[in-house]
């Protein structure tokens, strides 16, 4: 079993920055897909950024150049650095982990990010 706990959300003004963290506990395999999703009120959950099983990164177009995903297996932690935040980035942000070759999907509980003046 793997548990994921997000932190770092909050209220920030447009143009500001936040750094989200996703701390994992349990057995985390290094070959996996790990990423950040977000869900805004009334909208479907969407993929924001992720590492695929080869370690390559993906970003949704709306955050390219502003968000950066990173991770450290020694700390079992993944981060999402979010710069130049916009009101449309307001959402609950979730981390997700899927070990390669395993149908299990693990989600964190989410952390609220609100971008408002």
């Amino acid at each position: 079993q793997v548990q994921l706990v997000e932190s770092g959300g909050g209220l920030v003004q447009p143009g500001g920055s936040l750094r989200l963290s996703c701390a994992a506990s349990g057995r985390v395999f290094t070959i996996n897909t790990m990423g950040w999703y977000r869900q805004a009120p009334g909208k479907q959950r969407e993929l924001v950024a992720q590492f695929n099983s080869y370690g390559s990164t993906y970003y949704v177009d709306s955050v390219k150049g502003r968000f950066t995903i990173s991770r450290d297996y020694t700390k079992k932690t993944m981060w999402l650095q979010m710069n130049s935040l916009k009101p449309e980035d307001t959402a609950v942000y979730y981390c997700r982990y899927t070990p390669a070759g395993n149908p299990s999907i693990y989600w964190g509980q989410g952390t609220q990010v609100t971008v408002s003046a």
Side-chain angles (χ1 to χ4, degrees):
Q1 286 292 330
V2 173
Q3 290 78 45
L4 304 173
V5 178
E6 301 97 335
S7 62
L11 173 64
V12 64
Q13 292 186 342
S17 298
L18 284 175
R19 190 190 195 201
L20 305 183
S21 298
C22 174
S25 60
R27 190 172 184 182
V28 178
F29 293 94
T30 56
I31 300 176
N32 58 60
T33 300
M34 293 184 70
W36 290 94
Y37 286 69
R38 67 185 179 187
Q39 187 166 20
K43 294 187 177 181
Q44 290 188 333
R45 192 172 296 190
E46 68 167 348
L47 174 61
V48 176
Q50 76 170 13
F51 291 100
N52 66 16
S53 57
Y54 299 100
S56 298
T57 56
Y58 162 85
Y59 296 92
V60 68
D61 285 346
S62 59
V63 309
K64 285 180 179 177
R66 301 188 298 122
F67 291 11
T68 303
I69 190 172
S70 60
R71 62 185 174 182
D72 184 337
Y73 281 119
T74 64
K75 299 179 180 178
K76 292 186 179 181
T77 302
M78 178 175 66
W79 297 274
L80 185 67
Q81 178 67 43
M82 305 187 296
N83 299 327
S84 303
L85 282 161
K86 304 176 181 181
E88 51 263 43
D89 295 318
T90 296
V92 178
Y93 284 71
Y94 300 88
C95 62
R96 181 179 124 155
Y97 163 77
T98 304
N102 188 319
S104 301
I105 299 174
Y106 300 92
W107 291 94
Q109 83 289 350
T111 185
Q112 175 70 48
V113 171
T114 303
V115 185
S116 174

